[in-house]
Amino acid sequence: MNQSEVGETKSHGESKFVRMTNRCGLMTQKNLPVPLKSISVEVQVKGHVATVTSTLQYVNEEERPLEALFVFPLPADAAVCHFSAKIGEHEIVAELKEKQTARDQYDDAVSSGQQAFLLEESEESSDVFKLSVGCLSPGQNAAISITYITELSVQADHALRFCLPAVLNPRYTPAGSAAGIVSEISSVCDSVPYTLTLSVHVSSPKPISKLESNCTLDPLVFLDSHHTHATVNLSSGHKFDKDVELFVYYENTHQPTAIVEAGVTAAQPGSLMSDPVVMISLYPEFPEEVMSSLATQGEFVFVIDRSGSMDCVMHHGEGAQMRIESAKETLLLLLKSLPMGCYFNIYGFGSRYESFFPQSVVYNQDTMDQALKRVSEMRADMGGTEILQPLKHIYSQPCYPEHPRQLFVFTDGEVGNTKEVLDLVRRHVHSHRCFSFGIGEGASSALITGLAREGCGHAQFITGTDRMQPKAMQSLRFALQPVVNKISVQWKVPDGITVDTLSPPINVIFQGQRSLVYAQIKGQSSESSEGSVMIQYNLKDQPVTNQLHFCLKPAEDTGLMIHRLAARSLIGRLEQEERAGGAEVESVRSRMVKLSVEAGVNSVHTAFIAINKHNRETVKGPLIQRRIPTRESFQACFYAPDVTASGMSMCAPSFHDLSRASNEARYLSLSPAVYSYSYKARSAAVDFVNSQETEDKYRKACKRMADSASPQWAAPEPQKDSFLQLVSLQKASGCWEMNSALAQVFGKTEDELTNQKPAQVDGSVWATLLALIWLYGYKMEHQVEWQFVAMKAASWIRSQNVGGLSQCVCDGNVLLGCQVTQETLGI
């Protein structure tokens, strides 16, 4: 079987690998020109919503007509609402139709010599789309525009995050999963051969404080004296090697708001598009006395991706850490931050999974030490990314009374069966909360945000030079908040008006976190034009009510963005009903298609189709099919200069090109002299593997190659961080012991610490006090990472009932060269 043919094997316990033609290593770019030349993006940010228009410039530089395929990422749950193509002077606006109908029309048009364009959503993951550009004549240009609307997520510092995905990771497809668009993801070995330009316009009723990005931006330009309108551009030279993230800061951004949008007069009466729609942004605020006493109970289950791709770097900059190493450091902080007496367990998963303990155990010094030893031994050596089975095992375990289950999932998100995973989480939503972390560029937003949404938790993305640890600790603070239950949303409107809530029920509320609610407003009234929405819930068994009054008169110039987001939200609910099965599946699917077409937004059962009827040329011979590279996190695999052991010219295959048997032969039979070794080689290749026997063979082969490789391929030894050294020395109870390792963190000797110890305190109290002073004195910029470590330490010191602490603090400040007060330490 060669690499241009379909490679597929099935056997018990094996994964199914599906052909991806024209991948990196199958043909060089010299004999496979790429027709996509540039992408320009315009972003209009209005409050909490962004409207994004991407224009893709194509040109056929070959001597024959071709069909180009481009598989690319969009934000999860984006409402794609416009698709058009301009060829010469002709612009064709696409229609949204039932998917199979659209596919048939596309095939018929291309086969008859007409130019056609098809845009469809992946059936496996809502953040992956495929664009088919059919029958481009030699030398012809085409400009394709795609417009979508997306909600901006709220960060812990109240920034609104917009992400333009530029990196699309390979998606590992486990055994028994259907292969579709996700399996056609294309890759490139170095930089993509097209450019990106990006311009952003921000407008808001509230003043704009600042705008930040993980990429280099031109200076922000304010368009008015009130700073409510501003523009900014992405600086030239962006390499497309990472997602583009923008963080918008408004003044008082966390205040509740309501936007009412008028319907379309030409729409069918009674339909969603004909009536006004309201979007409510709610920010419940908990009483201070509740937030000052976080929970001390719970079952904390940490699920760590140990697939081969976790052996990639966090980012492409200097000093980047390996993903698995960052995860290990994060686990250290989490384990040290847990409250005494809770329960915990740690799972690692890849093609298989394992847990540290048969079931969750009580958190104490002994179990924490056992877990930390296992964490230090963790490697990215477990094959592909199959998260479904470990989740099933976790959910099969009985919960502990009075200890609510909190699930923390860390993954680079390269999963092919996303919807199946989310359905499983949704079925168990009443037994746990799920906090998810997308690691590195290109993590699936559909998976990461979906896990948090369906598991009533919170999602975090760690990209660029972000550190994983502070984001994990922010989520731990959410997990330790009291559980909010009995949540209800009630509307109060004048007589003659009714409100139908379109969004899924609110199942989770966190302090300061936004909840979005979409609703359809029906009827008319001659009375007051004001309505209100009231959210009620129980917090620590006490009823709480938050109310927002709003004007029923529609806002001006919203461009139907609220209607389309509401429609996309409702379509998402219908998808859940469809996957749940039952006698009404066909009816639900029909409703989904009808709503999608009426609202003009994408769904899994519809596709955009555009046909250029001005062009009808006879096609001579079959179309040349070209797949357009997407920037991936796996760029360089093994490299063969000229020949392999069999004498065939090749570069290494990537993710899904070959069956496991074929990969095993290609990777394991080659002598070390044929290939150079890099750590990325293992990360890209090991995800093919899904049997323990093959994994063992593969690791031995990698070791042979590593041993024979030149020194420049060896990963540098990470430097020991003094902060992490200090945290690693803390006991489960919260105290530190006096020893030389602690003294080394302070840059002292053990004798220096002992000689300065006040007489009224013992060694552990003195050591713990010094650790607290050092954290507040030298590591305040990382306080979010050690806040729970410090809380445990302060609580332990208070429990010792030591006299003369004020003098001890003074002595500690002198010894360490700090000026920290006793009040600051919380003792």
Side-chain angles (χ1 to χ4, degrees):
M1 182 183 299
N2 64 45
Q3 288 173 297
S4 63
E5 296 173 340
V6 175
E8 181 178 312
T9 60
K10 295 180 183 178
S11 64
H12 181 68
E14 281 194 347
S15 292
K16 175 181 175 184
F17 294 98
V18 182
R19 174 185 64 131
M20 289 194 294
T21 61
N22 298 344
R23 297 281 315 243
C24 166
L26 301 186
M27 294 184 183
T28 66
Q29 291 189 12
K30 183 177 180 180
N31 57 27
L32 179 54
V34 176
L36 182 59
K37 291 299 179 182
S38 67
I39 300 177
S40 61
V41 182
E42 294 183 1
V43 183
Q44 296 281 340
V45 176
K46 293 184 178 180
H48 291 212
V49 177
T51 302
V52 185
T53 299
S54 298
T55 302
L56 297 80
Q57 294 283 349
Y58 286 85
V59 60
N60 180 9
E61 296 178 340
E62 303 193 26
E63 298 177 355
R64 292 172 55 186
L66 62 76
E67 177 183 27
L69 300 182
F70 184 34
V71 181
F72 60 98
L74 287 181
D77 303 323
V80 180
C81 57
H82 176 83
F83 177 48
S84 64
K86 187 173 183 180
I87 303 169
E89 299 301 318
H90 302 294
E91 182 174 11
I92 315 111
V93 178
E95 298 178 74
L96 194 59
K97 297 186 177 183
E98 190 275 330
K99 181 175 284 187
Q100 192 55 53
T101 300
R103 286 173 172 175
D104 291 343
Q105 291 184 0
Y106 174 83
D107 290 340
D108 291 344
V110 170
S111 63
S112 66
Q114 291 178 304
Q115 290 157 339
F117 307 86
L118 182 71
L119 179 68
E120 52 186 312
E121 175 188 329
S122 165
E123 295 180 4
E124 299 102 333
S125 187
S126 62
D127 63 344
V128 179
F129 283 74
K130 180 173 75 172
L131 172 61
S132 301
V133 180
C135 204
L136 275 185
S137 302
Q140 192 167 49
N141 290 273
I144 295 171
S145 294
I146 301 168
T147 300
Y148 64 87
I149 305 170
T150 185
E151 302 164 353
L152 302 183
S153 60
V154 182
Q155 306 302 289
D157 61 354
H158 302 306
L160 297 177
R161 175 181 182 264
F162 166 75
C163 179
L164 178 70
V167 178
L168 182 56
N169 283 346
R171 303 292 167 85
Y172 183 89
T173 305
S177 296
I181 292 175
V182 167
S183 304
E184 299 182 65
I185 295 173
S186 55
S187 68
V188 67
C189 284
D190 194 7
S191 60
V192 291
Y194 44 88
T195 60
L196 169 70
T197 59
L198 173 71
S199 63
V200 182
H201 183 278
V202 184
S203 60
S204 171
K206 304 182 180 71
I208 303 161
S209 300
K210 59 180 177 178
L211 195 148
E212 297 177 347
S213 176
N214 65 328
C215 302
T216 305
L217 301 175
D218 292 341
L220 183 69
V221 177
F222 288 103
L223 303 179
D224 65 342
S225 59
H226 300 291
H227 286 193
T228 57
H229 293 77
T231 62
V232 70
N233 295 325
L234 183 68
S235 298
S236 60
H238 181 68
K239 296 182 183 300
F240 229 122
D241 58 349
K242 57 187 173 184
D243 296 345
V244 179
E245 289 182 294
L246 299 173
F247 299 94
V248 182
Y249 294 82
Y250 299 132
E251 293 181 11
N252 301 319
T253 185
H254 58 287
Q255 291 183 348
T257 58
I259 301 176
V260 178
E261 184 178 77
V264 180
T265 55
Q268 181 180 351
S271 68
L272 171 63
M273 300 305 291
S274 68
D275 292 324
V277 168
V278 60
M279 179 178 75
I280 304 289
S281 301
L282 298 173
Y283 284 89
E285 294 288 339
F286 295 170
E288 179 59 34
E289 59 270 20
V290 172
M291 296 308 301
S292 61
S293 58
L294 297 175
T296 58
Q297 295 176 308
E299 179 194 6
F300 299 88
V301 182
F302 305 107
V303 184
I304 309 299
D305 189 341
R306 288 178 54 186
S307 63
S309 52
M310 287 291 288
D311 231 0
C312 280
V313 290
M314 292 288 293
H315 58 87
H316 302 295
E318 185 177 350
Q321 194 176 29
M322 308 302 289
R323 295 175 184 176
I324 189 65
E325 294 303 320
S326 182
K328 288 162 65 173
E329 290 182 1
T330 303
L331 276 176
L332 166 67
L333 274 174
L334 286 167
L335 286 172
K336 294 291 185 175
S337 301
L338 293 180
M340 286 288 285
C342 71
Y343 289 80
F344 80 101
N345 204 349
I346 298 175
Y347 283 73
F349 73 93
S351 301
R352 54 187 174 87
Y353 68 90
E354 62 182 25
S355 60
F356 283 16
F357 306 99
Q359 59 186 33
S360 294
V361 295
V362 175
Y363 176 77
N364 55 38
Q365 187 64 45
D366 181 54
T367 55
M368 185 191 75
D369 286 343
Q370 292 181 52
L372 287 173
K373 184 178 185 298
R374 293 284 297 274
V375 167
S376 68
E377 298 167 351
M378 283 173 47
R379 301 290 182 267
D381 57 1
M382 296 185 71
T385 313
E386 295 193 36
I387 194 174
L388 196 64
Q389 294 308 314
L391 289 179
K392 286 181 177 179
H393 184 266
I394 292 168
Y395 294 144
S396 71
Q397 301 292 309
C399 295
Y400 292 91
E402 307 302 324
H403 288 273
R405 178 171 289 168
Q406 315 278 5
L407 198 62
F408 286 67
V409 179
F410 297 83
T411 177
D412 52 20
E414 294 159 12
V415 174
N417 56 341
T418 298
K419 292 184 179 180
E420 190 177 1
V421 172
L422 299 185
D423 286 343
L424 175 68
V425 175
R426 185 185 310 111
R427 290 197 298 270
H428 294 86
V429 65
H430 298 296
S431 67
H432 79 300
R433 291 194 290 189
C434 183
F435 299 86
S436 54
F437 303 83
I439 303 171
E441 305 294 342
S444 168
S445 61
L447 177 70
I448 304 306
T449 60
L451 285 171
R453 181 184 63 248
E454 305 301 345
C456 292
H458 183 72
Q460 300 266 23
F461 288 87
I462 301 101
T463 59
T465 57
D466 286 350
R467 285 169 52 82
M468 190 184 304
Q469 293 85 347
K471 296 197 173 186
M473 303 314 292
Q474 289 166 359
S475 291
L476 180 60
R477 174 168 282 276
F478 287 144
L480 291 173
Q481 287 183 18
V483 175
V484 174
N485 54 25
K486 298 183 179 179
I487 304 170
S488 65
V489 176
Q490 299 179 9
W491 303 88
K492 185 177 181 181
V493 290
D495 291 340
I497 294 178
T498 59
V499 178
D500 288 349
T501 303
L502 304 173
S503 304
I506 299 176
N507 293 318
V508 62
I509 294 175
F510 294 119
Q511 160 71 14
Q513 286 296 294
R514 180 192 64 190
S515 296
L516 284 180
V517 179
Y518 295 99
Q520 182 176 356
I521 301 174
K522 299 180 178 180
Q524 293 182 345
S525 174
S526 57
E527 301 179 16
S528 169
S529 62
E530 186 179 87
S532 66
V533 59
M534 183 167 58
I535 180 169
Q536 296 177 311
Y537 51 90
N538 276 13
L539 179 65
K540 284 194 169 182
D541 297 324
Q542 297 297 316
V544 179
T545 299
N546 297 126
Q547 190 169 16
L548 172 66
H549 295 271
F550 62 94
C551 179
L552 291 170
K553 182 180 179 181
E556 297 180 359
D557 191 28
T558 50
L560 292 180
M561 64 181 185
I562 306 301
H563 276 77
R564 285 165 173 157
L565 286 172
R568 192 71 183 94
S569 177
L570 184 53
I571 287 170
R573 290 181 63 183
L574 294 173
E575 283 187 20
Q576 294 176 11
E577 292 181 25
E578 180 191 26
R579 292 199 300 275
E584 303 297 322
V585 167
E586 289 302 324
S587 174
V588 170
R589 183 175 302 174
S590 177
R591 285 180 58 199
M592 199 187 311
V593 171
K594 181 180 179 182
L595 177 59
S596 174
V597 172
E598 286 180 350
V601 297
N602 60 293
S603 77
V604 72
H605 294 304
T606 53
F608 286 92
I609 175 72
I611 299 174
N612 182 13
K613 298 180 181 178
H614 300 280
N615 179 73
R616 186 182 293 274
E617 298 178 359
T618 302
V619 179
K620 298 180 180 179
L623 289 176
I624 302 173
Q625 192 177 73
R626 297 290 185 248
R627 272 168 170 63
I628 296 165
T630 301
R631 182 73 184 211
E632 289 190 7
S633 63
F634 302 132
Q635 298 168 25
C637 299
F638 292 99
Y639 171 70
D642 293 304
V643 296
T644 66
S646 62
M648 295 177 59
S649 176
M650 63 171 283
C651 285
S654 47
F655 243 69
H656 299 284
D657 293 333
L658 305 170
S659 67
R660 189 192 74 175
S662 179
N663 279 303
E664 190 175 336
R666 290 182 184 274
Y667 283 113
L668 302 183
S669 65
L670 300 175
S671 68
V674 176
Y675 283 87
S676 299
Y677 174 79
S678 76
Y679 63 82
K680 285 189 179 179
R682 183 175 69 226
S683 69
V686 76
D687 276 8
F688 283 110
V689 184
N690 75 336
S691 76
Q692 182 61 52
E693 179 184 3
T694 306
E695 285 179 30
D696 293 340
K697 290 180 182 178
Y698 183 72
R699 284 196 293 273
K700 290 177 182 177
C702 284
K703 186 177 186 304
R704 288 198 303 271
M705 288 184 281
D707 292 341
S708 64
S710 56
Q712 69 261 26
W713 290 112
E717 184 72 22
Q719 293 184 345
K720 292 184 178 179
D721 181 89
S722 57
F723 163 61
L724 291 176
Q725 280 185 290
L726 179 72
V727 171
S728 68
L729 296 172
Q730 188 184 32
K731 300 296 182 180
S733 62
C735 73
W736 276 266
E737 292 182 349
M738 183 76 71
N739 54 40
S740 59
L742 180 66
Q744 185 180 9
V745 172
F746 303 147
K748 307 288 183 180
T749 66
E750 187 176 356
D751 286 343
E752 287 180 284
L753 301 189
T754 303
N755 293 337
Q756 296 297 319
K757 182 182 75 67
Q760 70 268 32
V761 299
D762 65 18
S764 293
V765 172
W766 179 235
T768 305
L769 192 60
L770 290 177
L772 274 177
I773 292 172
W774 187 85
L775 286 171
Y776 280 100
Y778 293 104
K779 295 295 177 179
M780 278 300 294
E781 71 274 17
H782 297 307
Q783 186 177 12
V784 69
E785 299 182 36
W786 50 260
Q787 56 183 316
F788 297 111
V789 166
M791 287 171 62
K792 286 174 67 173
S795 176
W796 182 86
I797 290 177
R798 292 194 301 269
S799 71
Q800 304 304 300
N801 297 317
V802 178
L805 278 179
S806 297
Q807 185 59 46
C808 291
V809 172
C810 290
D811 294 343
N813 276 314
V814 172
L815 178 62
L816 298 180
C818 299
Q819 295 180 339
V820 181
T821 66
Q822 183 176 348
E823 291 73 24
T824 299
L825 299 178
I827 57 174

